[in-house]
Amino acid sequence: DTGVSQNPRHKITKRGQNVTFRCDPISEHNRLYWYRQTLGQGPEFLTYFQNEAQLEKSRLLSDRFSAERPKGSFSTLEIQRTEQGDSAMYLCASSWPNTGELFFGEGSRLTVL
Amino acid sequence: GQQLNQSPQSMFIQEGEDVSMNCTSSSIFNTWLWYKQDPGEGPVLLIALYKAGELTSNGRLTAQFGITRKDSFLNISASIPSDVGIYFCAGQLISSGSARQLTFGSGTQLTVLP
C-alpha cells in the first residue's frame, strides 16, 4: 500500500502529557500537510511542508505544537502539555505542489483526559 | 478569513434517489474539490474542478464549479447504501504560482435508507 500512513491511529493521554504523531506521505509527493478535525467539523489547516521546509503555519498552531519534516520524507507533529481542547482527529495529507488534490491518511485520534 | 457554507448539514434519502448538496464561499476560489469521509477514516478525494463553469463526473457523481467561482455543487444519482458518509467541499486559491491551503466546508452527513 503506497498511501499516506499515520500512527498511532488512536492515542489516549492525560492532560499535561506530551504526544507525538507520525506521518509517512506518498513517496512521490513533496508537499505534506497537517490538519485538525473536531466532531461535526471539516478539517482545519495547521501547517504544511514543501520538502523539509515548513512554509506556512496556521494561527491554530499554538506554541505547544511543533511539526518537523527533517529529511523531507516523514513528518512528526508533537503536542506538548496537552489540554482537553486538543482532543481531535489529526490528519496528515500529501500532494504535489500547487494542487488541491490532497491525499489524506486515516488520521490519528487524540483523546486528552 | 475565507469561509465555506455547506448545505444541507444532513440528508436522509431513500436508496435509489438522487441527492444534491452545495457549497458557497465569501471569496473566490480557483479550485473546488469534493471529498467523502467515512467514520474513523480520512477524507477521500471524489472530484476536482479547476475551471469556472466546469462540469465533471465520476461515475454516479457529478460536480460543477460555479460561474462566479464562489460556489460548487455535488450531485449523486441513484444512491446506494455505500454512499453513506460525510461529504466535504473544499476550496483553494492559487495565486502567483503558489497554492494556499484548502479551506473545507463543515460537511453534509448523508444517510441512505433501504
Side-chain angles (χ1 to χ4, degrees):
Chain A
D1 184 16
T2 57
V4 178
S5 176
Q6 291 188 246
N7 65 81
R9 292 290 310 279
H10 303 274
K11 179 71 176 179
I12 300 174
T13 190
K14 292 184 178 179
R15 185 165 50 95
Q17 297 294 304
N18 299 343
V19 297
T20 299
F21 300 115
R22 175 178 168 127
C23 172
D24 288 272
I26 294 171
S27 58
E28 300 85 19
H29 290 170
N30 49 13
R31 278 209 176 174
L32 185 148
Y33 304 78
W34 285 99
Y35 279 78
R36 183 176 72 182
Q37 186 178 26
T38 54
L39 196 63
Q41 299 298 318
E44 296 175 293
F45 171 77
L46 292 178
T47 187
Y48 86 90
F49 294 82
Q50 180 153 320
N51 301 313
E52 67 277 7
Q54 188 172 17
L55 296 186
E56 189 170 349
K57 293 192 289 186
S58 161
R59 283 173 290 182
L60 293 175
L61 212 66
S62 75
D63 291 344
R64 297 184 296 105
F65 288 69
S66 62
E68 294 183 345
R69 193 183 185 197
K71 297 181 180 179
S73 56
F74 74 91
S75 175
T76 57
L77 176 67
E78 181 183 16
I79 309 174
Q80 297 182 326
R81 305 182 302 283
T82 52
E83 302 173 355
Q84 288 184 322
D86 296 333
S87 295
M89 174 81 89
Y90 289 87
L91 292 163
C92 176
S94 67
S95 78
W96 289 111
N98 296 330
T99 173
E101 296 185 25
L102 272 58
F103 292 81
F104 284 87
E106 295 174 316
S108 293
R109 178 165 296 284
L110 173 65
T111 301
V112 181
L113 303 176
Chain B
Q2 296 170 340
Q3 290 187 340
L4 292 186
N5 295 310
Q6 187 171 349
S7 64
Q9 189 174 9
S10 63
M11 300 183 72
F12 292 81
I13 61 171
Q14 295 292 137
E15 184 176 354
E17 288 184 344
D18 298 344
V19 60
S20 294
M21 57 194 78
N22 69 82
C23 227
T24 59
S25 168
S26 57
S27 303
I28 289 174
F29 289 115
N30 48 23
T31 303
W32 279 96
L33 305 105
W34 286 90
Y35 285 83
K36 183 190 177 200
Q37 187 174 29
D38 293 328
E41 304 293 329
V44 174
L45 180 65
L46 299 174
I47 291 180
L49 302 156
Y50 297 101
K51 187 177 178 181
E54 179 181 355
L55 185 72
T56 297
S57 293
N58 178 8
R60 293 178 297 105
L61 277 61
T62 301
Q64 185 162 26
F65 191 142
I67 290 293
T68 65
R69 296 169 61 193
K70 290 185 176 182
D71 60 347
S72 180
F73 303 87
L74 176 69
N75 297 319
I76 305 173
S77 62
S79 58
I80 60 177
S82 62
D83 290 335
V84 166
I86 304 177
Y87 292 79
F88 290 100
C89 62
Q92 184 184 43
L93 181 64
I94 299 177
S95 60
S96 302
S98 174
R100 298 184 63 180
Q101 72 279 3
L102 290 182
T103 300
F104 281 82
S106 55
T108 295
Q109 171 73 62
L110 178 63
T111 302
V112 179
L113 304 172

